[in-house]
Coordinates of all heavy atoms in Angstrom, one line a residue:
M17 N 112.2 88.6 75.0 CA 111.8 90.0 74.9 C 113.1 90.9 74.8 O 113.0 91.9 73.9 CB 111.1 90.4 76.2 CG 109.7 89.9 76.2 SD 108.8 90.5 77.7 CE 108.9 89.2 78.8
A18 N 114.1 90.6 75.5 CA 115.3 91.5 75.4 C 116.0 91.4 74.0 O 116.3 92.4 73.4 CB 116.3 91.0 76.5
I19 N 116.0 90.1 73.5 CA 116.6 90.0 72.1 C 115.7 90.6 71.1 O 116.2 91.1 70.1 CB 116.9 88.5 71.9 CG1 118.0 88.0 72.9 CG2 117.4 88.3 70.5 CD1 118.3 86.6 72.9
D20 N 114.4 90.5 71.3 CA 113.4 91.1 70.4 C 113.7 92.6 70.2 O 113.7 93.2 69.1 CB 112.0 91.0 70.8 CG 111.5 89.6 70.6 OD1 112.1 88.8 69.9 OD2 110.4 89.2 71.2
V21 N 114.0 93.3 71.4 CA 114.3 94.7 71.4 C 115.6 94.9 70.6 O 115.7 95.9 69.8 CB 114.4 95.3 72.8 CG1 115.0 96.7 72.8 CG2 113.1 95.2 73.5
L22 N 116.6 94.1 70.8 CA 117.8 94.2 70.0 C 117.6 94.0 68.5 O 118.1 94.7 67.7 CB 118.8 93.2 70.5 CG 119.4 93.5 71.9 CD1 120.3 92.3 72.3 CD2 120.2 94.8 71.9
I23 N 116.8 93.0 68.2 CA 116.5 92.7 66.8 C 115.8 93.9 66.2 O 116.2 94.4 65.1 CB 115.7 91.4 66.6 CG1 116.5 90.2 66.9 CG2 115.1 91.3 65.2 CD1 115.8 88.9 66.9
I24 N 114.8 94.4 66.8 CA 114.0 95.5 66.2 C 114.9 96.7 66.2 O 114.9 97.4 65.1 CB 112.7 95.7 67.0 CG1 111.8 94.5 66.9 CG2 112.0 97.0 66.6 CD1 110.6 94.5 67.8
G25 N 115.6 97.1 67.2 CA 116.4 98.3 67.2 C 117.7 98.2 66.5 O 118.0 98.8 65.5
V26 N 118.5 97.3 67.0 CA 119.9 97.2 66.5 C 120.0 96.6 65.2 O 120.7 97.0 64.3 CB 120.8 96.4 67.6 CG1 122.2 96.2 67.0 CG2 120.8 97.2 68.9
A27 N 119.2 95.5 65.0 CA 119.3 94.7 63.7 C 118.9 95.6 62.5 O 119.5 95.6 61.5 CB 118.6 93.4 63.7
V28 N 117.8 96.3 62.7 CA 117.3 97.2 61.6 C 118.3 98.2 61.3 O 118.7 98.5 60.2 CB 115.9 97.8 62.0 CG1 115.5 98.9 61.0 CG2 114.8 96.7 62.1
R29 N 118.9 98.8 62.4 CA 119.9 99.9 62.2 C 121.1 99.3 61.6 O 121.7 99.9 60.6 CB 120.2 100.5 63.5 CG 121.3 101.6 63.5 CD 120.8 102.8 62.8 NE 121.8 103.8 62.9 CZ 122.1 104.6 61.9 NH1 121.5 104.5 60.7 NH2 123.1 105.5 62.0
L30 N 121.6 98.1 62.0 CA 122.8 97.5 61.5 C 122.6 97.1 60.1 O 123.5 97.4 59.2 CB 123.1 96.3 62.4 CG 124.3 95.5 61.9 CD1 125.6 96.3 62.0 CD2 124.4 94.2 62.7
L31 N 121.5 96.5 59.7 CA 121.3 96.1 58.3 C 121.2 97.3 57.4 O 121.8 97.3 56.3 CB 120.0 95.2 58.2 CG 120.1 93.9 58.9 CD1 118.8 93.2 58.9 CD2 121.2 93.0 58.4
T32 N 120.6 98.4 57.9 CA 120.5 99.6 57.1 C 121.9 100.2 56.9 O 122.3 100.6 55.8 CB 119.6 100.6 57.8 OG1 118.3 100.0 58.0 CG2 119.4 101.9 57.0
R33 N 122.7 100.2 58.0 CA 124.0 100.7 57.9 C 124.9 99.9 57.0 O 125.7 100.4 56.2 CB 124.6 100.8 59.3 CG 126.0 101.3 59.4 CD 126.0 102.8 59.0 NE 127.4 103.2 59.1 CZ 127.9 104.0 58.2 NH1 127.2 104.5 57.2 NH2 129.2 104.4 58.2
V34 N 124.8 98.6 57.1 CA 125.6 97.7 56.2 C 125.3 98.0 54.7 O 126.1 98.0 53.9 CB 125.4 96.2 56.6 CG1 126.0 95.3 55.5 CG2 126.1 95.9 57.9
A35 N 124.0 98.1 54.4 CA 123.6 98.4 53.1 C 124.2 99.7 52.6 O 124.6 99.8 51.5 CB 122.0 98.4 53.0
K36 N 124.2 100.8 53.5 CA 124.7 102.1 53.1 C 126.2 102.0 52.9 O 126.8 102.5 51.9 CB 124.4 103.1 54.1 CG 123.0 103.5 54.1 CD 122.7 104.6 55.2 CE 121.2 104.9 55.2 NZ 120.9 105.9 56.2
V37 N 126.9 101.2 53.7 CA 128.4 101.0 53.6 C 128.7 100.3 52.3 O 129.6 100.6 51.6 CB 129.0 100.3 54.8 CG1 130.4 99.9 54.6 CG2 128.9 101.2 56.1
A38 N 127.9 99.3 52.0 CA 128.1 98.5 50.8 C 127.9 99.4 49.6 O 128.7 99.4 48.6 CB 127.1 97.3 50.7
R39 N 126.9 100.3 49.6 CA 126.6 101.2 48.5 C 127.8 102.2 48.4 O 128.3 102.4 47.3 CB 125.3 102.0 48.7 CG 125.1 102.9 47.6 CD 123.7 103.4 47.6 NE 122.6 102.4 47.6 CZ 122.4 101.5 46.6 NH1 123.1 101.5 45.5 NH2 121.4 100.6 46.7
S40 N 128.3 102.7 49.5 CA 129.4 103.6 49.4 C 130.7 102.9 48.9 O 131.4 103.5 48.1 CB 129.7 104.2 50.8 OG 130.8 104.9 50.9
H41 N 130.9 101.7 49.4 CA 132.0 100.9 48.9 C 132.0 100.7 47.4 O 133.0 100.9 46.7 CB 132.1 99.6 49.7 CG 133.2 98.7 49.3 ND1 134.5 98.9 49.6 CD2 133.2 97.5 48.6 CE1 135.3 98.0 49.2 NE2 134.5 97.1 48.5
R42 N 130.8 100.4 46.9 CA 130.7 100.2 45.5 C 130.9 101.5 44.7 O 131.5 101.5 43.6 CB 129.3 99.7 45.2 CG 129.3 98.2 44.9 CD 128.1 97.7 44.2 NE 128.0 96.3 44.5 CZ 128.0 95.8 45.7 NH1 128.0 96.6 46.7 NH2 127.8 94.5 45.9
A43 N 130.4 102.6 45.2 CA 130.6 103.9 44.6 C 132.1 104.2 44.5 O 132.6 104.7 43.5 CB 129.9 104.9 45.3
N44 N 132.8 103.9 45.6 CA 134.3 104.1 45.6 C 135.0 103.2 44.6 O 135.9 103.7 43.9 CB 134.9 103.9 47.0 CG 134.4 105.0 48.0 OD1 134.0 106.1 47.6 ND2 134.5 104.6 49.3
Q45 N 134.6 102.0 44.5 CA 135.2 101.1 43.5 C 134.9 101.6 42.1 O 135.8 101.5 41.2 CB 134.6 99.7 43.7 CG 135.1 98.9 44.8 CD 134.5 97.5 44.9 OE1 133.4 97.3 44.5 NE2 135.2 96.6 45.5
Q46 N 133.7 102.1 41.8 CA 133.4 102.5 40.5 C 134.1 103.8 40.2 O 134.6 104.0 39.1 CB 131.9 102.8 40.4 CG 131.1 101.5 40.4 CD 129.6 101.7 40.7 OE1 129.2 102.8 40.8 NE2 128.9 100.6 40.8
A47 N 134.3 104.7 41.2 CA 135.1 105.9 41.0 C 136.6 105.5 40.6 O 137.2 106.1 39.8 CB 135.0 106.8 42.2
D48 N 137.1 104.5 41.3 CA 138.4 104.0 41.0 C 138.6 103.5 39.6 O 139.5 103.7 38.9 CB 138.9 103.0 42.1 CG 139.2 103.5 43.4 OD1 139.3 104.8 43.6 OD2 139.3 102.7 44.4
R49 N 137.6 102.8 39.2 CA 137.6 102.2 37.8 C 137.5 103.3 36.8 O 138.2 103.2 35.7 CB 136.4 101.3 37.6 CG 136.6 99.9 38.2 CD 135.5 99.0 37.7 NE 135.2 98.0 38.8 CZ 134.1 97.9 39.4 NH1 133.0 98.6 39.0 NH2 133.9 97.0 40.4
Q50 N 136.8 104.4 37.1 CA 136.7 105.4 36.1 C 138.0 106.2 36.0 O 138.4 106.7 35.0 CB 135.5 106.4 36.5 CG 134.2 105.7 36.2 CD 133.0 106.5 36.7 OE1 133.2 107.6 37.3 NE2 131.8 106.1 36.4
V51 N 138.7 106.3 37.2 CA 139.9 107.1 37.2 C 141.0 106.3 36.5 O 141.8 106.9 35.7 CB 140.4 107.4 38.7 CG1 141.8 107.9 38.8 CG2 139.4 108.3 39.3
R52 N 141.1 105.0 36.7 CA 142.1 104.2 36.1 C 141.4 103.1 35.2 O 141.1 102.0 35.7 CB 143.1 103.5 37.0 CG 142.8 103.6 38.4 CD 143.8 102.8 39.3 NE 142.9 102.3 40.3 CZ 142.6 101.0 40.5 NH1 143.1 100.1 39.8 NH2 141.8 100.6 41.5
P53 N 141.1 103.5 34.0 CA 140.4 102.5 33.1 C 141.3 101.3 32.8 O 142.5 101.4 32.8 CB 140.2 103.3 31.8 CG 140.8 104.6 31.9 CD 141.4 104.7 33.3

């Protein structure tokens, strides 16, 4: 039950956050590529 709460609360939040960070990281890489072809 305790781990279920963590999975539902923390894991969903963590996975969402990792996806956003990955997207931001990719955007920064693409911006760098555009600046220095």
Side-chain angles (χ1 to χ4, degrees):
M17 285 187 261
I19 295 172
D20 287 347
V21 170
L22 289 174
I23 287 175
I24 292 168
V26 175
V28 169
R29 178 72 176 135
L30 177 64
L31 294 174
T32 304
R33 180 69 182 136
V34 168
K36 287 180 182 176
V37 168
R39 180 163 308 290
S40 174
H41 179 71
R42 257 198 207 53
N44 290 340
Q45 285 179 333
Q46 291 165 3
D48 287 348
R49 280 191 214 120
Q50 291 174 353
V51 170
R52 4 175 220 115

